[in-house]
Amino acid sequence: MTAKPRVLIAGTGFAGQGHTDAFRGAGAEVVGMVGRTPEVVRDVATSMNIPYFGTDWAAALAECNPDIVSIATPGGAHVEPITQAINAGCHVFCDKPMTHSGDTAVDLYRLATDKGVKTAYAASFRYAASVLHAKRLVAAGAIGEPTEVECMSHFNLDRNIPFGWSHTAAAGGGRLNNNFTHTLSIVASVVGDKITAICGDIRDDLGRAPIVDGVHNFMTRREFIPKDLNDPTLKWGQSDVEWSYTVMAKIDSDLAARPVSVLFKHGGLVPRFDDDHILFYGTKGAIHIKGHYGTGALSHYGADGQWTVIPTPDDIAASIPDVAGETEQCWHYLATEFVKDINGEQVEPYPTFKEGSQYQQIIEIIRASDNWTDVTTLA
């Protein structure tokens, strides 16, 4: 491996462009980009000064001979390109969800292990500054032994966002794939990753969404909401994934004698009344972080019985990439760690296909909702 690895990007939307910038920020050379639509991949690659572009992934692997591939497409399109890349000896950086199913995620994890390639799984909001700060404080005993964690978020998404990959399980959609993956990774990074038990329930309270042509970038999809939703010629697609979930987990922590209880509550379509937050409780205090992914201010509750905002330490603040956007900052952080690891430098553990495959299996368990006890016959 050279000090400047060659990277091939799969995907041309928000994530594809974000991954491109992240790997360039990590000192890698982005040599090519592959997309579904010839005109789109040409325009994006040209605007980003990427020398090779096309729609044939296998041809791009052969032509570009990358050291790393970066998968920035919806989860339902991940299996084949990742399989081809691993068989070609490439290291793989993959956005969440890892795939559309637990079985395929496990297959890819095993294949990567057998082939000896490195993998990174971009459930990457664990690299937000306040999350890194919380991890340090909890490890230092600022809350005593961790006992409980609470992750609360309410997105109030527009119900008429055009129908697309986020509405279908086969394409990698659903709030578990695209929200829970981040919060689970955050909690695991702070209290420990030994997840021992899980249960939960989901609800699809959307039903349907309008089918509209021309949507390409995930971040601009709201601009395509039809002006006349009562137009009789408008076509509709049916959602088959969850838009709300409630999940409980138990995590064994090296910092606690008993398992940590975790609550994950997310409402994709409901309004928030107060701040979304992540709360870590312990035997001697608590840590509150504003924001659904812990990107806001951090407050500590200690022996004085008061909540106190604690600024981010200078060294943690300095470690956050100087780029616009919280998502982009976290991609940059993980891509930099990944490239350092590939080049033989010492890095802290980061999420890999091991976590990605585990999370995908956990999501299937939650979606089964097979944890209810019928109490209608109780006296």
Side-chain angles (χ1 to χ4, degrees), residues 68-328:
I68 301 169
V69 300
S70 185
I71 307 298
T73 55
H78 286 179
V79 175
E80 185 175 356
I82 292 177
T83 301
Q84 292 175 344
I86 292 173
N87 284 327
C90 301
H91 305 294
V92 184
F93 182 100
C94 178
D95 221 305
K96 50 79 196 157
M98 187 170 157
T99 68
H100 64 289
S101 74
D103 287 344
T104 54
V106 170
D107 287 344
L108 291 179
Y109 168 51
R110 290 174 175 166
L111 180 63
T113 301
D114 291 344
K115 295 294 185 179
V117 301
K118 293 184 181 296
T119 60
Y121 171 64
S124 47
F125 271 101
R126 61 165 53 197
Y127 298 117
S130 287
V131 176
L132 295 172
H133 190 191
K135 179 179 180 180
R136 176 181 294 180
L137 290 170
V138 171
I143 64 171
E145 293 188 17
T147 56
E148 300 179 33
V149 186
E150 175 182 293
C151 302
M152 303 294 290
S153 58
H154 306 87
F155 276 18
N156 202 24
L157 296 170
D158 194 310
R159 292 172 176 269
N160 296 305
I161 289 172
F163 186 82
W165 65 265
S166 62
H167 294 81
T168 65
R175 303 310 300 157
L176 287 168
N177 274 333
N178 299 287
N179 178 269
F180 175 70
T181 44
H182 278 304
T183 52
L184 180 57
S185 182
I186 288 168
V187 173
S189 73
V190 174
V191 302
D193 59 3
K194 301 172 186 175
I195 305 163
T196 61
I198 202 89
C199 69
D201 191 46
I202 62 169
R203 187 175 64 256
D204 180 357
D205 42 10
L206 178 72
R208 66 175 192 170
I211 297 175
V212 179
D213 292 330
V215 181
H216 167 63
N217 191 319
F218 177 81
M219 298 299 289
T220 61
R221 56 189 178 155
R222 290 172 180 80
E223 299 173 9
F224 292 83
I225 295 174
K227 290 182 171 54
D228 182 7
L229 292 167
N230 295 314
D231 183 347
T233 66
L234 191 62
K235 296 181 179 179
W236 296 82
Q238 294 298 313
S239 167
D240 66 1
V241 292
E242 72 286 338
W243 292 86
S244 296
Y245 62 78
T246 302
V247 176
M248 293 185 293
K250 292 182 180 181
I251 297 180
D252 281 353
S253 174
D254 292 339
L255 304 171
R258 300 173 61 187
V260 179
S261 302
V262 189
L263 170 66
F264 302 89
K265 183 71 186 77
H266 176 69
L269 302 175
V270 297
R272 65 176 59 90
F273 176 75
D274 207 345
D275 290 328
D276 290 350
H277 63 266
I278 300 176
L279 251 167
F280 298 92
Y281 295 99
T283 55
K284 297 181 179 179
I287 289 171
H288 175 281
I289 313 176
K290 286 187 177 182
H292 47 273
Y293 295 144
T295 57
L298 181 149
S299 298
H300 176 249
Y301 183 92
D304 62 357
Q306 301 294 321
W307 284 102
T308 303
V309 175
I310 304 179
T312 303
D314 290 344
D315 65 312
I316 292 179
S319 74
I320 304 301
D322 186 17
V323 296
E326 295 163 346
T327 302
E328 293 89 336

Side-chain angles (χ1 to χ4, degrees), residues 24 29-32 45 48-53:
R24 284 174 170 169
E29 178 186 5
V30 177
V31 295
M48 300 193 76
N49 296 313
I50 300 173
Y52 177 95
F53 53 86

